[in-house]
Amino acid sequence: MWMTPKRSKMEIDESRGFRAEWTQRYLVVEPPEGEGALCLVCRRLVVATGEPDVRHHYEAEHDYYERYVAEGERAALVERLRQGDLPEAAPLTPEERAARAGLGLARLLALKGCGWGEGDFVHRCMEVMLRDVLPNHVSVLDGIDLSPEITRQRVLDINQNLRSQLFNRAKDFKAYSLALDDQAFVAYENYLLVFVRGVGHDLEVQEELLTIINLTHHFSVGALMAAILEALQTAGLSLQRMVGLTTTHTLRMIGENSGLVSYMREKAVSPNCWNVIHYSGFLHLELLSSYDVDVNQIVNAISEWIVLIKTRGVRRPEFQALLTESESEHGERVNGRCLNNWLRKGKTLKLIFSLRKEIKTFLVSIGATTVHFTDNEWLCDFGFLVDIMDHLRELSELLRVSKVFAAAAFDHICAFEVKLNLLQRHIEEKNLTHFAALSQVVAELKGHLQEDEKILDPDRYRVVICRLQKEFERHFKDLKFIKKDLELFANPFSFKPEYAPISVRVELTKLQANTSLWNEYRTKDLGQFYAGLSAESYPIIKGVACKVASLFDSSKICEKAFSYLTRNQHTLSQPLTDEHLHALFRIATTEIEPHWDDLVRRRNESNP
């Protein structure tokens, strides 16, 4: 699809060499000899393969010069550095050191999901430690204010700093995709988390939280659409550069006529836009698929057991591993929704299944009902659910691996669909080789039932597997639509030119005949290979690579946000504004480092 230039081609930087705009942005110049970029500050040669190397050097070594932000100041700074006049970085005053320490502690508190009032407790702990270990330095804590009001404001300041950096980088995105996750919940309100994955110069990939939207205040799809478009406009991202949409498979997202995806695609249809690729199975694969395969409300019954264990069996040694796993996932407090989500994981169901005999003994000892343990069909359904969810867990873990590009993720999905076909044939033949839990249940029941009594109903489970197959086909059909593009991206030297569109055959033939590029392809990862590929010589192939690289290849960032949410549900349920929630989620998921000196300087400007 993307190999056929039906729409306007994407503009890509032609050169991987030095670019003039780097001089003011990163304080470097083109060296008189050789490649790379010469730093005007430290006079070191940055052996750059692209802009990321130059930017990383600047941010790591010379972040101080970010205070020269105005265009006139920046130009004057460059001129002074050219003449060898190096402005000395003024040492931080004690007040600035205290402010920087306070900002760092505020970020740590946010990462741990601590309440605003926890800062005072941290301050007292440090005071006790210093009084005993370094009594002469206790006074350094006097300037560090960790009061709830100050901590709250610092978290907002850090969020604003990270947001500004993201928006600056978003200006250079050549293509981007969105991930829309509507499974986030805080207390009684649901939120839509909007993540962006952008590809800048040299195919550098950036995944960040774009915004969060309160679904209570934006109930209709039209209101949601308006909020997302506003966030894109604020970030400087046009719909013309959007390549893909990754969503959950809830009705709000993929409803045929009223889903958000339909609205987004209609909005993105214009002569200057690409066909937006949508796939809905990446996010919360285990959680949402479990509703399709839980044929007998197994999870509802298990959740009642877990509540009883947490309240009346907490001291029993046989349940300690289960309780430890539960607390590491969502804390000590029993939150109904967190508990339900945890129980819909293959790993959790497998652990509970292994404890089924101990759970039955426990239920009998406290006088609770054990009716499910005498229901043969329910026990078989339990074993089948454990097995299917374990297979989904394996796929989900593969899809959490980031920086492998969508082509590798698509391979995992295709392999799983083949696996489902195999499972269907096996269940029809009553071959339980790949159904370990169900096989155990059947073996146990055979010892108590008559030989002519029916134990396993294969048609019951064949229908479930067929339904799962249809769901996968529906969720990932767009990826199959660009299958050739993904194959070309992953294996450009083995892709047969005769199977490619006419428009790309010449480029592909020339690429495969280039020995030096073949050596680079073998020794570098795909990202590095395509970053070094000349857009002047291979514009269509480079365009395909840029678009494929912008597609979400994993659910890692969404899982990171969801894990932060479930671990800190109690803290996040305290009275917080949407602005504060946005700040906490951004700090928890970002890979961008805050510009600390800039934050300290802004604090001084606001408090002269």
Side-chain angles (χ1 to χ4, degrees), residues 394-427:
E394 293 175 358
L395 175 61
S396 182
E397 288 178 355
L398 291 172
L399 296 181
R400 287 193 193 109
V401 180
S402 61
K403 299 181 181 178
V404 295
F405 300 111
F410 181 65
D411 288 342
H412 295 320
I413 292 161
C414 291
F416 188 76
E417 289 180 331
V418 173
K419 186 177 186 179
L420 285 176
N421 288 329
L422 176 66
L423 294 176
Q424 182 184 345
R425 290 199 305 272
H426 279 193
I427 203 69

Side-chain angles (χ1 to χ4, degrees), residues 1-2 243-246 265 275-279 478-479 481-482 551:
M1 182 188 94
W2 287 330
V243 171
L245 271 176
T246 306
R265 281 182 148 172
N275 293 323
V276 175
I277 299 301
H278 170 248
Y279 44 103
D478 274 15
L479 287 180
F481 184 53
I482 58 167
L551 293 173

Side-chain angles (χ1 to χ4, degrees), residues 43-113:
R43 297 295 170 180
R44 283 166 52 190
L45 181 66
V46 182
V47 183
T49 58
E51 185 174 7
D53 305 281
V54 180
R55 187 178 70 242
H56 292 163
H57 170 79
Y58 173 75
E59 291 179 349
E61 303 290 338
H62 310 304
D63 187 47
Y64 166 80
Y65 294 97
E66 275 296 295
R67 64 184 58 199
Y68 298 90
V69 290
E71 187 174 347
E73 285 184 334
R74 203 73 177 172
L77 173 64
V78 169
E79 191 58 34
R80 287 180 62 183
L81 291 172
R82 285 182 185 276
Q83 297 173 5
D85 182 9
L86 184 65
E88 294 187 6
L92 294 176
T93 65
E95 292 78 11
E96 289 174 331
R97 288 198 186 96
R100 182 159 180 167
L103 287 162
L105 288 170
R107 183 174 72 155
L108 285 177
L109 289 170
L111 286 171
K112 288 296 181 182

